[in-house]
Amino acid sequence: MLDTATEAERSDQLRLLADSATAFASGRLSLARARKLRGEKPEFDPAMLAELAGQGWTGLLLPEELGGFGLGFAEAAVVIDSVAGQLAPEPLVPVAVLAAGVLRRCAAGERRDALLGGIADGSVIPGLAWQNATGGLDPADPAFTATVQGEGWSVSGQARFVRPGSGATHFLLAARSDKGIELLVVEAGSDGLKLVSEAQADGTSLARISVEGLRVAADAHLSLSAADFAAAIDEAVLMNAVELLALLRRMRTMTQDYLKTRVQFGKPIGSFQALQHRAVDLLIQEELTAACLNQAIAAFDAGSCSVDERSSYASRAKARAAEAAMWTAREAMQMHGGIGVTDEYELSLYVNRTLALAPWLGNASAHRRRYVRLNPPKAGSDA
Amino acid sequence: MLDTATEAERSDQLRLLADSATAFASGRLSLARARKLRGEKPEFDPAMLAELAGQGWTGLLLPEELGGFGLGFAEAAVVIDSVAGQLAPEPLVPVAVLAAGVLRRCAAGERRDALLGGIADGSVIPGLAWQNATGGLDPADPAFTATVQGEGWSVSGQARFVRPGSGATHFLLAARSDKGIELLVVEAGSDGLKLVSEAQADGTSLARISVEGLRVAADAHLSLSAADFAAAIDEAVLMNAVELLALLRRMRTMTQDYLKTRVQFGKPIGSFQALQHRAVDLLIQEELTAACLNQAIAAFDAGSCSVDERSSYASRAKARAAEAAMWTAREAMQMHGGIGVTDEYELSLYVNRTLALAPWLGNASAHRRRYVRLNPPKAGSDA
Amino acid sequence: MSAVTDWNALDDDSFRQQVRSFFRANYPEELRYPKTRLRWAQIRDWYLTLSKQGWLTPAWPTRYGGMGLEPSKLIIFYEEIELHGVGRAPDMGITMVGPLLIQNGSEEQKDYYLPKILSGEHIWCQGYSEPNSGSDLASLRTEAVLDGDEFVVNGQKTWTTLAQDATHIFMLVRTDKSAKKQEGISFLLMDVTTPGIERRPIRNLAGHEEFCECFFRDVRVPKANLVGEINRGWTIAKALLGFERISIGGPKQSQYAIARLEELASHLGLESDAGFMDAYARLKLDVLDHAALYTRFIDQVRRGEKLGSDVSMLKVIGTETYQKISQLLIETAGSAGGLVDDVEMAGEDFDWLTSYYNARPATIYGGSNEIQRNILASQVLGLPS
Amino acid sequence: MSAVTDWNALDDDSFRQQVRSFFRANYPEELRYPKTRLRWAQIRDWYLTLSKQGWLTPAWPTRYGGMGLEPSKLIIFYEEIELHGVGRAPDMGITMVGPLLIQNGSEEQKDYYLPKILSGEHIWCQGYSEPNSGSDLASLRTEAVLDGDEFVVNGQKTWTTLAQDATHIFMLVRTDKSAKKQEGISFLLMDVTTPGIERRPIRNLAGHEEFCECFFRDVRVPKANLVGEINRGWTIAKALLGFERISIGGPKQSQYAIARLEELASHLGLESDAGFMDAYARLKLDVLDHAALYTRFIDQVRRGEKLGSDVSMLKVIGTETYQKISQLLIETAGSAGGLVDDVEMAGEDFDWLTSYYNARPATIYGGSNEIQRNILASQVLGLPS
């Protein structure tokens, strides 16, 4: 579909999708709802995730034959932007981008297709467990080890930073084996699966998943190449950057509005030049982020990049979005003054969500490093 | 003398010294003179250096028995501040602090005493040659190698960043030997001594000194410990930071004045809050620099620090002063607008001197690194 | 209890030693270096211990029950508090109301209030800020209208630190609406249980409740609770800002935060990561140089000199350094940077978000850093307005 | 000389290829990527080569001797100039006077001036800024008083780029002192050899002379040299700022500077220095993301849309990134950072100070970055003044 639609057709479709996403988000995803779900177990509403699925949003990126819509990242970004902007804690990126992206790259088969169908209809909510306890970001070195044992597999290890943790219906344990990357599908609550929640700034949590010699049947085993695994993670990194852009845009806009209305010394504080210039710097960061993300999304959708080029785009996008969002959060609080650091005022919800989402899958600093590792400085790069 | 004077006595003496240094600097060291000397060979006036010597300033730090005054770094700083503030290109720190500091740590003897006496009376102007071509800053690894040959020595190697180069009467070649650090005294213009000048931003130059198997007589050989050599360099680093403080203070003050007088949009530009806040940030940097330098100078004068503590103080001082001076230079140019980047306006003289002095003996970045190498982070440093 | 009362006669080292020993012997170990502000229930015993020792009010004159410390001794006392990580008790009575009454209060007010501060019977909170009067404090609108022998107070205060633990509140109220804004303000004392006062805790973004909003509806306060002359409250309150102005610019918070960063870095072996070390080095030197500048000002106090407006720069650079450290802490935590409270990293627990959260209001309260820069620009640099 | 004249009919790739080939074949190798602004004596031959090719004025309509390129082709043309490192010729006639006369000039003015720009006979410079009218350009005071058929001009212009190479100057002059400041300004053309004009080069801090001051003492200029109506000069001049506003925000300078940094770093083996790499990574991504944002605006131009005030952000972020790169270059040079021109480092020559010097005025000219931020604050964010 991406190949055949003209640019103009696609941009019309994107506009329609944006309208419906905005309408849904403002009608069904209130900030009050987000506030109430903080600290709950699970910290999201599975029924709402099913509603999102009903909109077709969990299957957006999946091929039509698997119950999805076969759309691109530009479409996914439009939806993710609306959902993230309303601070919905439902794990759209972890499920519909990360887990779905990994699964759809595994060899076709009954188990895989059922999981993907479940993601598309909202009945399956898988959490991918792959990072080790210190947050390693190398997809070729996932947290678990797996060995063939009899008809099935034996898995051991501990993963951290798993989203969703509580509320997940399945966990996909990414493991090293002699042959490469294995994916072991384990139902939540299975015997031998230990889950510990770690609370995040925004009232959501990440899970630590540990297993020790857990037996997994052969039919719950999927496998994919390290490059495919990495590709799926890069897609989640990019869509995570889209979430951060949604957050920073709203924090910046709230601040812009506040500067116009808050009066001190007989004037709106937005008339003070020092604040004006700082507000402009935030605007510039937002526009840089948007431009960078759009370029990356277009490159992903064009599909002509090498693995390293995709990783470079993803890292650039995440580095910019995370840095800009953290910067915007700080300045938004400062320019709001006291009210900016209260729980009651909505800004703090955005700040705390930013604090949780910016480090996920690697913070700005980690992604800048990955970018230059992939693209080291060399002489003669111009002329 | 430092030991016996009370704090009050010393502070009176410092005030007197400051008054006379200021009077001399404003009477004899005009900016027009500094401007005229740019690019000359030598780029300073040996007669003026002799005048400074006549004021007792080249021998300030030397013991009285060697023709000096046995004063401390607080006194030296007062003088250096006045001279640097008027952009005098005379190599006061290289000669009276660096070369003199190295020489006075060598074993006493006719040659050494004559050189020090010459520094004190202005007749000897030595340039210490010790850094290698990429600007290595390890005193234990100087640029030359020396071996005993018959009655004398043979020296080879190339040093860079030597101040003074043109205009020096002698060069002190710092060399490694089997035994440690050797200092070979060579008269300027000697056969076999190759000198190439490299032009700096401020119209002064640094020299590259190369020798290949140069024979040096035994009586032109001095030696000192690596620790003593390092100690002398640290003193020069600290006094170089004092020069940078003098420069940044003047750039900041010029900017402060300009902000009050330059009118645009019917108002002095210093009434615009964005510029006000940036001007305040420069003020804070100046005060941080001054506080840091005063602490370091007091520690040097107290004489109770270990070698590493002295190096740490010197690096802290240089890191702060160089960073703050470079920052001030940039902001001063920006706040002045067009006129700030013209040759005619005096600010550019200060900017260019800053560009030359900030990297000498290691820039801010190099000294921050040295500081944390000497003081690595460790757990339990408080409580 | 110590027999010595003329503390100023001791040499500095002996005094420091006595203070240090007392803290070590008496301050509860589990309350050292508290991560957030302690509540009255936690710190009450220590408050009373200090009171019994006669050390609760080191800066008050001895005749009012204070230690009567001269500046140099006072500095030592505070240094030891910081070194030992002694938590801050509700100290508005000690640092604000006491000195203010001693300077401006009537004899009745002094006799009644001062002993009750010493005994811990009265715990004070400060009612200055209002929702629409933050940076522009003098625009405050909470009104006190004289009705016979009573003021009738209506309005709202906010950012009232630990009002929920207080028994009394001191307030700036507007008593003349027609005067220029600074000239119609009075200073009023109030029992927080007076009918018509409602306190509502404000939850901050870390989920803690350090501040309150206070609502005043027809609150009747005896005229005798006015401190100093009517409409002179602004001057009275401003005169208090002496030692306070320097303590808000101290290096304690940054030093504490960078120690946490050092622990984390050394635990993770980041000494060999030149990227981390470069970032760390900048902040370490900022902390050290800020402390050097702080010492310069402290020396001024020690010599008995008055502090000028330039002291504002301590707060600006100190709090911003603190914030930068808190940011590097989060960054250093990597993928775990969004986890709250104690977080396990390679076998040890670390807490970075508390530093981040605590660092936020530091640039806002006590005169925002924007206001401090305005002050420095006009009063120190002499830039035109 | 190419036979094709309808360039717009070519597909983009063929057009690009033709431009590229021509540059490769004809532009002098030794003038590629000039470090400082080229003087007329250096670039004259190339100017005439372009003129002969009919490529001197790509944006002018064909009937005036231009290539008549539509926006998308124009972008390609400029991209190729940048890629090949073609130096900037004195282009005030090409980019400013030509388009302005085409829009606002009389037929006589067009017939007289345009061909002489094309032939290289007239080289123009711009007389806008004055010593007291920098950021506040509309406050300019150089005065033109009508005396019969002539204007008598008195005053001073400054920052006149390469006036020493120019034959003519176009100026904003005040023709009505009583009107509101923007409304008393006219647009005037002048031969620089007219008696009473004195040009004095301004040496910059790098020792180069790119700019001049121009003094006007009773300079008599024919009334026919007025462009457009009297007192309408401000509007005429403002209308010109179309494509100019985006080109000043282009990524070329930053890209060139970071390529120098990459060369130095790779020569010094700094890929293994995580500290350098962290600093480099920030700037590299700034360059890339600025270029992405630039592309977004260029796409707007390509689609024929008008640019809004938000284009100002390109200049702000672009020039500040350029400056940061130039600072890191100096820092990376270490002890050699203060050496000028080509400096030998481990066997190869590098020049960092030229980047540093060139980066300085970038945030000042073309509307200082402070002015750009003011514009963004009021016109894009809608913040009150």
Side-chain angles (χ1 to χ4, degrees):
Chain A
M1 173 169 178
L2 284 177
D3 304 325
T4 54
T6 66
E7 207 180 316
E9 280 168 7
R10 188 162 183 216
S11 112
D12 283 346
Q13 284 165 0
L14 274 171
R15 206 167 310 116
L16 284 173
L17 185 60
D19 289 347
S20 86
T22 307
F24 180 90
S26 63
R28 299 285 300 135
L29 302 171
S30 73
L31 294 188
R33 190 188 81 92
R35 182 186 287 280
K36 232 175 103 188
L37 281 163
R38 294 184 302 169
E40 296 292 312
K41 284 277 166 282
E43 62 262 12
F44 63 91
D45 176 6
M48 178 53 73
L49 192 60
E51 258 192 75
L52 300 181
Q55 297 288 315
W57 296 347
T58 55
L60 212 66
L61 291 164
L62 293 176
E64 293 180 53
E65 62 271 25
L66 292 169
F69 292 85
L71 294 173
F73 292 99
E75 288 78 8
V78 158
V79 166
I80 289 165
D81 177 79
S82 292
V83 174
Q86 290 299 98
L87 296 173
E90 282 69 28
L92 191 57
V93 174
V95 171
V97 184
L98 184 56
V102 170
L103 285 170
R104 78 182 165 87
R105 287 177 165 86
C106 294
E110 208 176 311
R111 172 61 66 117
R112 187 204 73 153
D113 297 355
L115 287 169
L116 286 172
I119 288 176
D121 70 21
S123 61
V124 170
I125 309 174
L128 176 72
W130 69 285
Q131 281 184 278
N132 64 21
T134 50
L137 289 168
D138 181 4
D141 184 28
F144 297 94
T145 51
T147 48
V148 175
Q149 204 163 40
E151 295 292 289
W153 291 77
S154 169
V155 205
S156 294
Q158 187 189 73
R160 206 174 178 185
F161 314 116
V162 180
R163 277 179 74 197
S166 79
T169 57
H170 298 73
F171 291 102
L172 311 176
L173 312 188
R176 267 167 297 123
S177 76
D178 308 346
K179 288 176 292 176
I181 306 286
E182 317 297 335
L183 206 64
L184 294 314
V185 183
V186 180
E187 283 183 33
S190 295
D191 282 347
L193 186 92
K194 201 178 138 207
L195 183 154
V196 177
S197 280
E198 296 188 284
Q200 294 205 99
D202 65 345
T204 69
S205 66
L206 299 175
R208 277 176 188 257
I209 302 282
S210 344
V211 293
E212 190 49 54
L214 182 75
R215 299 296 308 266
V216 179
D219 71 347
H221 163 256
L222 302 167
S223 70
L224 78 174
S225 73
D228 275 349
F229 188 56
I233 291 169
D234 281 332
E235 291 168 1
V237 168
L238 179 57
M239 292 298 111
N240 164 243
V242 169
E243 295 183 285
L244 287 164
L245 173 57
L247 299 177
L248 84 86
R249 181 178 286 131
R250 277 154 187 86
M251 291 190 285
R252 198 195 58 69
T253 313
M254 287 176 82
T255 305
Q256 180 179 353
D257 293 344
Y258 190 76
L259 288 174
K260 289 179 191 172
T261 50
R262 169 74 172 175
V263 172
Q264 291 285 273
F265 305 105
K267 294 195 231 176
I269 60 173
S271 66
F272 294 107
Q273 197 195 30
L275 297 187
Q276 289 186 343
H277 285 198
R278 286 159 60 183
V280 164
D281 287 338
L282 297 186
L283 172 71
I284 293 176
Q285 285 301 313
E286 178 181 318
E287 295 291 347
L288 285 176
T289 308
C292 166
L293 264 58
N294 286 337
Q295 204 172 63
I297 288 168
F300 271 51
D301 277 342
S304 54
C305 297
S306 71
V307 173
D308 278 357
E309 281 167 351
R310 272 171 58 105
S311 295
S312 299
Y313 274 119
S315 280
R316 251 182 76 190
K318 178 65 193 277
R320 173 66 57 190
E323 187 79 25
M326 292 290 279
W327 178 354
T328 305
R330 293 191 301 268
E331 284 287 71
M333 285 187 275
Q334 182 67 21
M335 294 200 227
H336 274 85
I339 198 173
V341 292
T342 63
D343 176 75
E344 194 176 355
Y345 190 67
E346 287 165 355
L347 177 64
S348 64
L349 299 179
Y350 284 97
V351 169
N352 276 325
R353 178 61 51 89
T354 302
L355 287 170
L357 286 187
W360 190 59
L361 298 179
N363 63 18
S365 166
H367 280 283
R368 280 193 297 267
R369 286 186 166 194
R370 189 171 78 140
Y371 181 87
V372 291
R373 207 164 48 238
L374 291 168
N375 306 276
K378 47 179 183 285
S381 55
D382 68 347
Chain B
M1 172 166 177
L2 284 177
D3 304 326
T4 54
T6 66
E7 206 179 316
E9 280 168 7
R10 188 162 183 215
S11 112
D12 283 346
Q13 285 164 0
L14 275 171
R15 207 168 308 117
L16 284 173
L17 185 61
D19 289 346
S20 86
T22 307
F24 181 90
S26 63
R28 299 285 302 136
L29 302 171
S30 73
L31 294 188
R33 191 188 80 92
R35 180 185 288 280
K36 233 176 99 190
L37 280 164
R38 295 184 301 169
E40 296 291 314
K41 284 276 167 290
E43 62 263 10
F44 63 91
D45 177 5
M48 179 53 76
L49 192 60
E51 259 193 73
L52 300 181
Q55 296 289 314
W57 295 348
T58 56
L60 213 67
L61 292 165
L62 294 176
E64 294 181 52
E65 62 272 23
L66 293 169
F69 291 84
L71 294 173
F73 291 98
E75 287 78 9
V78 158
V79 166
I80 288 165
D81 177 79
S82 291
V83 174
Q86 290 299 99
L87 295 173
E90 283 68 29
L92 191 57
V93 173
V95 171
V97 184
L98 183 55
V102 170
L103 285 170
R104 78 182 166 86
R105 286 177 166 87
C106 295
E110 211 175 308
R111 172 60 67 116
R112 186 204 73 154
D113 296 355
L115 288 168
L116 286 172
I119 288 176
D121 69 22
S123 61
V124 169
I125 308 174
L128 176 71
W130 70 284
Q131 280 183 280
N132 65 20
T134 50
L137 288 168
D138 181 5
D141 184 27
F144 297 95
T145 50
T147 47
V148 175
Q149 203 162 39
E151 295 290 291
W153 291 77
S154 169
V155 204
S156 292
Q158 187 188 73
R160 206 174 177 185
F161 314 115
V162 180
R163 275 180 75 198
S166 80
T169 59
H170 298 73
F171 291 102
L172 311 177
L173 312 187
R176 269 168 296 122
S177 76
D178 307 347
K179 288 176 294 177
I181 307 287
E182 317 297 335
L183 205 64
L184 293 314
V185 183
V186 181
E187 283 183 30
S190 296
D191 283 349
L193 185 92
K194 201 179 138 206
L195 183 154
V196 176
S197 280
E198 296 189 284
Q200 295 205 99
D202 63 346
T204 68
S205 67
L206 298 175
R208 278 176 187 257
I209 303 282
S210 345
V211 293
E212 191 50 52
L214 182 75
R215 298 295 306 267
V216 179
D219 71 346
H221 162 258
L222 301 167
S223 71
L224 78 174
S225 72
D228 275 350
F229 188 58
I233 291 168
D234 282 332
E235 290 168 2
V237 168
L238 179 56
M239 292 299 109
N240 164 243
V242 169
E243 295 184 285
L244 288 164
L245 174 57
L247 299 177
L248 84 86
R249 181 179 286 132
R250 276 155 188 84
M251 292 189 285
R252 197 195 58 69
T253 313
M254 287 176 82
T255 305
Q256 181 179 353
D257 293 345
Y258 191 77
L259 289 174
K260 290 179 191 174
T261 51
R262 170 75 172 175
V263 173
Q264 291 284 277
F265 305 103
K267 293 196 231 177
I269 60 172
S271 66
F272 293 108
Q273 196 194 31
L275 297 188
Q276 290 185 342
H277 284 198
R278 286 158 60 183
V280 164
D281 287 337
L282 297 186
L283 172 71
I284 293 176
Q285 285 302 313
E286 178 182 318
E287 295 289 346
L288 284 176
T289 309
C292 165
L293 265 56
N294 286 337
Q295 204 172 63
I297 287 168
F300 271 51
D301 277 342
S304 55
C305 297
S306 71
V307 172
D308 279 357
E309 281 167 350
R310 272 171 59 105
S311 295
S312 299
Y313 273 119
S315 280
R316 249 182 76 191
K318 178 64 193 279
R320 173 66 57 189
E323 187 81 24
M326 292 290 279
W327 178 352
T328 304
R330 293 192 301 269
E331 284 287 70
M333 286 186 275
Q334 182 67 22
M335 293 200 227
H336 275 85
I339 198 173
V341 292
T342 62
D343 177 75
E344 193 177 354
Y345 190 66
E346 287 166 354
L347 177 64
S348 64
L349 299 180
Y350 284 97
V351 169
N352 276 326
R353 178 61 52 87
T354 302
L355 287 170
L357 286 187
W360 190 59
L361 299 180
N363 63 17
S365 166
H367 279 284
R368 279 194 297 266
R369 287 186 165 193
R370 191 172 76 140
Y371 182 87
V372 291
R373 207 164 48 237
L374 290 168
N375 306 276
K378 47 179 184 287
S381 56
D382 69 347
Chain C
M1 216 164 305
S2 173
V4 183
T5 52
D6 186 4
W7 301 105
N8 296 321
L10 287 178
D11 71 75
D12 284 0
D13 283 348
S14 320
F15 177 68
R16 187 184 293 280
Q17 218 40 65
Q18 280 203 37
V19 174
R20 187 175 295 184
S21 310
F22 182 78
F23 289 170
R24 285 193 180 161
N26 295 282
Y27 187 74
E29 193 61 25
E30 70 278 12
L31 294 184
R32 290 182 67 189
Y33 301 104
K35 292 197 296 187
T36 52
R37 192 71 189 267
L38 298 173
R39 299 292 302 267
W40 178 235
Q42 298 170 286
I43 198 76
R44 186 177 167 278
D45 286 348
W46 171 244
Y47 190 102
L48 299 178
T49 302
L50 278 176
S51 168
K52 245 168 78 184
Q53 173 75 357
W55 284 13
L56 186 66
T57 54
W60 292 15
T62 47
R63 68 192 154 112
Y64 294 112
M67 292 172 85
L69 296 185
E70 62 190 23
S72 62
K73 290 288 188 300
L74 202 53
I75 288 164
I76 291 171
F77 191 85
Y78 287 128
E79 280 174 357
E80 290 302 315
I81 284 181
E82 296 193 358
L83 270 171
H84 194 69
V86 172
R88 192 172 163 192
D91 54 8
M92 282 291 155
I94 298 163
T95 62
M96 302 289 281
V97 179
L100 193 132
L101 288 180
I102 289 168
Q103 265 180 50
N104 305 281
S106 66
E107 288 311 311
E108 293 73 20
Q109 286 172 335
K110 286 190 250 191
D111 290 348
Y112 177 72
Y113 290 111
L114 298 183
K116 291 189 168 60
I117 291 171
L118 289 169
S119 69
E121 196 178 334
H122 285 183
I123 301 300
W124 287 88
C125 65
Q126 181 195 62
Y128 282 7
S129 292
E130 299 184 5
N132 290 309
S133 306
S135 288
D136 183 13
L137 181 60
S139 69
L140 60 88
R141 289 188 293 194
T142 295
E143 200 183 359
V145 177
L146 203 53
D147 179 27
D149 272 353
E150 291 178 328
F151 284 106
V152 182
V153 180
N154 278 286
Q156 184 187 347
K157 294 290 177 182
T158 192
W159 314 125
T160 317
T161 306
L162 294 181
Q164 62 272 63
D165 287 347
T167 60
H168 288 72
I169 183 168
F170 60 99
M171 291 172 67
L172 289 176
V173 291
R174 185 155 306 280
T175 38
D176 182 353
K177 290 210 270 193
S178 63
K180 267 177 46 184
K181 57 183 188 175
Q182 281 90 344
E183 291 164 15
I185 292 172
S186 298
F187 198 100
L188 203 58
L189 308 177
M190 230 176 267
D191 185 318
V192 292
T193 60
T194 317
I197 302 181
E198 189 199 333
R199 287 168 287 173
R200 209 172 71 188
I202 301 174
R203 217 178 158 77
N204 68 17
L205 85 163
H208 299 131
E209 297 181 345
E210 271 186 26
F211 301 104
C212 283
E213 296 179 286
C214 298
F215 300 89
F216 302 85
R217 284 191 199 83
D218 295 328
V219 179
R220 302 192 75 89
V221 181
K223 195 179 162 184
N225 286 18
L226 179 74
V227 180
E229 286 173 53
I230 197 154
N231 295 332
R232 296 280 296 158
W234 187 258
T235 317
I236 292 173
K238 280 276 148 177
L240 255 194
L241 300 172
F243 205 76
E244 284 308 293
R245 289 166 69 206
I246 193 165
S247 76
I248 204 172
K252 178 187 174 184
Q253 293 175 309
S254 302
Q255 285 166 345
Y256 182 79
I258 207 153
R260 300 291 77 72
L261 179 62
E262 286 164 356
E263 282 171 7
L264 179 60
S266 108
H267 184 67
L268 297 176
L270 298 180
E271 303 88 345
S272 58
D273 178 335
F276 170 80
M277 289 294 273
D278 278 0
Y280 161 70
R282 276 183 191 274
L283 297 178
K284 181 69 179 183
L285 298 192
D286 282 349
V287 171
L288 291 169
D289 294 347
H290 172 245
L293 186 57
Y294 178 75
T295 303
R296 197 205 92 187
F297 281 99
I298 284 288
D299 285 344
Q300 232 176 301
V301 174
R302 194 175 273 132
R303 290 193 301 267
E305 296 169 18
K306 229 176 134 65
L307 291 174
S309 311
D310 54 346
V311 73
S312 279
M313 68 178 82
L314 282 181
K315 193 222 167 190
V316 171
I317 189 71
T319 53
E320 292 175 10
T321 299
Y322 180 32
Q323 291 191 341
K324 286 182 199 158
I325 298 167
S326 80
Q327 288 153 224
L328 184 56
L329 258 170
I330 291 189
E331 194 183 301
T332 305
S335 292
L339 299 176
V340 294
D341 297 332
D342 284 337
V343 182
E344 185 269 324
M345 279 292 268
E348 246 181 65
D349 280 355
F350 298 91
D351 177 353
W352 36 78
L353 273 183
T354 296
S355 287
Y356 181 86
Y357 287 134
N358 286 343
R360 290 307 114 198
T363 51
I364 297 169
Y365 63 52
S368 73
N369 286 21
E370 287 77 15
I371 294 293
Q372 306 290 351
R373 282 192 170 85
N374 288 348
I375 292 171
L376 289 163
S378 71
Q379 294 180 27
V380 180
L381 295 179
L383 296 178
S385 59
Chain D
M1 215 162 307
S2 174
V4 181
T5 50
D6 187 5
W7 302 104
N8 297 322
L10 287 179
D11 71 76
D12 285 0
D13 283 346
S14 321
F15 177 68
R16 187 185 292 282
Q17 217 39 64
Q18 282 204 36
V19 173
R20 187 175 296 184
S21 311
F22 182 77
F23 289 170
R24 285 194 179 159
N26 294 283
Y27 186 74
E29 193 63 26
E30 70 278 11
L31 294 184
R32 290 182 67 190
Y33 300 103
K35 292 196 297 188
T36 52
R37 192 69 188 269
L38 296 173
R39 299 294 301 268
W40 177 235
Q42 299 170 286
I43 198 75
R44 186 176 168 277
D45 285 349
W46 172 244
Y47 190 102
L48 299 178
T49 303
L50 278 176
S51 168
K52 247 168 75 183
Q53 174 74 358
W55 285 14
L56 186 66
T57 53
W60 291 16
T62 46
R63 67 190 153 117
Y64 295 112
M67 295 172 83
L69 297 186
E70 62 190 23
S72 61
K73 290 287 188 301
L74 202 52
I75 288 165
I76 291 171
F77 191 85
Y78 287 128
E79 279 174 357
E80 290 303 314
I81 284 182
E82 297 192 359
L83 270 171
H84 194 69
V86 172
R88 191 171 164 194
D91 54 8
M92 282 292 156
I94 300 163
T95 61
M96 303 288 282
V97 179
L100 193 131
L101 288 179
I102 290 168
Q103 265 180 49
N104 304 280
S106 65
E107 288 312 312
E108 293 74 19
Q109 287 172 335
K110 287 189 251 191
D111 290 348
Y112 178 72
Y113 289 111
L114 298 183
K116 292 191 167 58
I117 292 171
L118 289 168
S119 69
E121 195 178 335
H122 285 183
I123 301 301
W124 287 88
C125 64
Q126 180 194 62
Y128 282 7
S129 291
E130 299 185 4
N132 292 309
S133 305
S135 288
D136 183 13
L137 181 61
S139 70
L140 60 90
R141 288 188 296 194
T142 294
E143 201 184 357
V145 178
L146 202 55
D147 180 27
D149 272 355
E150 292 178 325
F151 284 106
V152 182
V153 180
N154 278 286
Q156 184 187 346
K157 293 290 177 183
T158 192
W159 315 125
T160 317
T161 306
L162 293 181
Q164 64 271 61
D165 287 347
T167 61
H168 288 71
I169 183 168
F170 60 100
M171 292 171 67
L172 289 176
V173 292
R174 185 157 305 281
T175 38
D176 183 351
K177 290 210 271 193
S178 62
K180 266 177 48 182
K181 56 184 190 175
Q182 281 89 344
E183 292 166 15
I185 291 172
S186 298
F187 198 98
L188 204 56
L189 309 177
M190 230 176 267
D191 184 319
V192 290
T193 60
T194 317
I197 302 182
E198 190 199 332
R199 288 169 285 172
R200 210 172 71 188
I202 300 174
R203 217 179 158 77
N204 68 14
L205 84 163
H208 299 130
E209 296 182 345
E210 270 187 26
F211 302 105
C212 284
E213 297 177 284
C214 298
F215 300 89
F216 302 85
R217 285 190 198 83
D218 295 328
V219 180
R220 302 192 76 91
V221 181
K223 195 179 162 184
N225 288 17
L226 179 73
V227 181
E229 284 174 53
I230 197 154
N231 296 331
R232 297 278 297 156
W234 185 258
T235 317
I236 293 174
K238 280 276 146 177
L240 255 194
L241 300 173
F243 206 76
E244 285 306 294
R245 289 166 69 204
I246 194 166
S247 75
I248 203 173
K252 178 189 174 185
Q253 295 176 307
S254 302
Q255 285 166 344
Y256 181 78
I258 207 152
R260 300 291 77 72
L261 179 63
E262 286 164 357
E263 281 171 7
L264 179 61
S266 107
H267 184 66
L268 297 177
L270 297 181
E271 303 89 345
S272 58
D273 179 334
F276 170 81
M277 290 293 274
D278 278 1
Y280 162 70
R282 275 183 192 275
L283 297 179
K284 180 70 178 184
L285 298 192
D286 282 349
V287 171
L288 292 169
D289 294 347
H290 172 244
L293 187 58
Y294 177 76
T295 303
R296 196 205 92 189
F297 281 99
I298 284 288
D299 285 344
Q300 233 176 301
V301 173
R302 193 175 274 133
R303 289 192 302 266
E305 295 170 21
K306 229 177 135 65
L307 291 174
S309 311
D310 55 346
V311 74
S312 278
M313 68 178 81
L314 282 181
K315 194 223 165 188
V316 172
I317 189 71
T319 53
E320 292 174 12
T321 299
Y322 180 31
Q323 293 193 339
K324 285 182 199 159
I325 298 166
S326 79
Q327 288 153 224
L328 184 55
L329 259 169
I330 291 190
E331 193 182 302
T332 305
S335 291
L339 299 177
V340 293
D341 297 330
D342 283 337
V343 182
E344 185 269 324
M345 279 293 268
E348 247 181 64
D349 280 356
F350 298 90
D351 177 354
W352 35 79
L353 273 183
T354 296
S355 288
Y356 182 86
Y357 287 134
N358 286 345
R360 291 307 113 197
T363 51
I364 297 170
Y365 63 51
S368 72
N369 286 21
E370 287 77 15
I371 295 293
Q372 306 290 352
R373 283 192 170 85
N374 288 349
I375 291 171
L376 290 163
S378 71
Q379 296 179 26
V380 180
L381 294 180
L383 296 179
S385 58

